[in-house]
Amino acid sequence: MRFFTSLLKNTNPKIEYYSRFSPSPLSIKQFLDFGRDNACEKTSYMFLRKELPVRLANTMREVNLLPDNLLSQPSVRLVQKWYMQSFVELLDYENRKPEDPHTLNDFLELLIEIRNRHNDVVPMVAQGVIEYKEKFGFDPFISSNIQYFLDRFYTNRISFRMLINQHTLLFGNDTNPAHPKHIGSIDPSCSVAEVVSDAYDTAKMLCEKYYLAAPELKIEEFNSKAPKKPIQVVYVPSHLFHMLFELFKNSMRATVELYENSKEGLPPIKAKVTLGKEDLSIKISDRGGGVPLRKIDRLFNYMYSTAPTPSMEPGTVPLAGFGYGLPISRLYARYFQGDLKLYSMEGVGTDAVIYLKALSSESFERLPVFNKSAWRHYKTSPEADDWSNPSKEPRDASKSKYKANR
């Protein structure tokens, strides 16, 4: 602990320095063009040795604005230590020239180490939020700040891993032979229907394991650009798979639990993929009974998870039980300027729609920036609601001190 405190003290000026820079958002097209046409390891190194510390510093400054009671939780302290260690290790390359025969290989190995170190960041922070909630209860204002922070923190993590993965896949030995046409983690001609089917099959396997049954899938495609042709997009298949897998899990669970005693059998889940001039949209529709409007926002709230604390043992399904699947899936969609929305009809079912940019040149990273606006969000006191709230009991007008003169 003393070592960590000393490290923090010595590194703080550097964190402050790098946090003054805003991250440089890249588009999918820029990732693709660099990897396909002129992939140069030296160029990538020169960019990443500054950009990665900038992204780390921006989020590390923001972490310190969280409530002390949350920062004091052991799992949150551990995550802070990971980030500090990674930041310090990256600083070693601040002035190392790429011409040095060992620099590029050492940097590549460091990136893999950092990526592995940060593998469990999501469940560890989730554990910290659970510990905090159990000890200190639920406060709406603090919950709002934690929601704001975690959306930004996890988005930063997605972007950090995206940069690392592109570099290690392009210049390392961990290229996937099953996808020789991929440029890093990007598929230049990603078949959306195939990713939908893959995500469905994986979710179906889980569903059948727990419930011994799973609804079937029906897929439709509407390609307005090239009618009757399969829809393809330049995208990161792993991101799309993550979103779809989460949606299918939710739809299957809702459907099976609603119809488990029905003689009608399970109604199918329907997937509709559409491509327009601006948007590529994927709608997943189920007949699982739906969700009341009042609860829709809670499904995306990190503090509202009512699931039991999941196992942290190796080999468990990531995020199982944390209730983080939907909010993080939405962050994946928003990362490249898309979105994920839920439309539900209680008593019937739910439509979940993933929106992506149809053009890779418009799919820019959406990155959090630490600045005065972000700082003010944590420091501003909650204001009184300026809309009426329904009371549980009817008000007795005869007792009001504002009785009308007759």
Side-chain angles (χ1 to χ4, degrees), residues 243-273:
M243 295 180 252
L244 289 164
F245 176 62
E246 182 61 31
L247 296 180
F248 279 129
K249 275 196 305 181
N250 293 341
S251 289
M252 286 179 185
R253 184 175 65 245
T255 302
V256 172
E257 289 181 357
L258 184 64
Y259 286 87
E260 60 183 346
N261 298 318
S262 171
K263 295 177 182 178
E264 301 173 17
L266 301 175
I269 294 172
K270 296 178 181 179
K272 188 174 287 187
V273 184

Side-chain angles (χ1 to χ4, degrees), residues 246-313:
E246 182 61 31
L247 296 180
F248 279 129
K249 275 196 305 181
N250 293 341
S251 289
M252 286 179 185
R253 184 175 65 245
T255 302
V256 172
E257 289 181 357
L258 184 64
Y259 286 87
E260 60 183 346
N261 298 318
S262 171
K263 295 177 182 178
E264 301 173 17
L266 301 175
I269 294 172
K270 296 178 181 179
K272 188 174 287 187
V273 184
T274 68
L275 179 62
K277 289 181 180 178
E278 292 188 26
D279 295 340
L280 187 153
S281 310
I282 308 163
K283 182 168 74 171
I284 308 297
S285 305
D286 67 55
R287 294 281 304 278
V291 180
L293 177 64
R294 175 177 61 88
K295 292 184 178 179
I296 287 288
D297 286 344
R298 293 185 189 180
L299 298 178
F300 291 100
N301 194 308
Y302 303 100
M303 291 287 283
Y304 265 112
S305 175
T306 55
T309 304
S311 168
M312 293 291 287
E313 294 299 315

Side-chain angles (χ1 to χ4, degrees), residues 337-380:
Q337 305 296 331
D339 210 345
L340 190 160
K341 293 184 179 291
L342 295 184
Y343 305 95
S344 196
M345 296 180 71
E346 189 183 13
V348 181
T350 301
D351 289 349
V353 185
I354 296 170
Y355 297 99
L356 308 177
K357 288 291 183 185
L359 301 176
S360 61
S361 57
E362 294 180 359
S363 303
F364 274 90
E365 293 181 287
R366 179 176 176 264
L367 303 173
V369 179
F370 179 76
N371 54 23
K372 285 184 179 179
S373 296
W375 182 87
R376 276 196 296 268
H377 187 96
Y378 296 95
K379 299 300 179 183
T380 306

Side-chain angles (χ1 to χ4, degrees), residues 4 7-8 11 15 52-53 55-61 63 76-90 114 117-122 125 149 152-158 160-161:
F4 176 66
L7 192 66
L8 188 65
T11 314
I15 295 173
L52 291 176
R55 296 193 185 193
L56 279 181
N58 270 264
T59 204
M60 289 165 81
R61 287 289 302 278
V63 167
V76 176
R77 291 186 70 83
L78 179 59
V79 170
Q80 278 188 291
K81 192 175 177 182
W82 290 342
Y83 271 69
M84 179 62 69
Q85 186 178 347
S86 299
F87 183 78
V88 169
E89 288 172 351
L90 286 166
I114 289 174
R117 178 184 301 137
H118 290 235
N119 275 343
D120 292 328
V121 162
V122 174
V125 173
F149 168 77
R152 292 162 65 81
F153 179 75
Y154 289 141
T155 299
N156 184 288
R157 180 178 181 272
I158 290 168
F160 195 73
R161 292 180 82 82

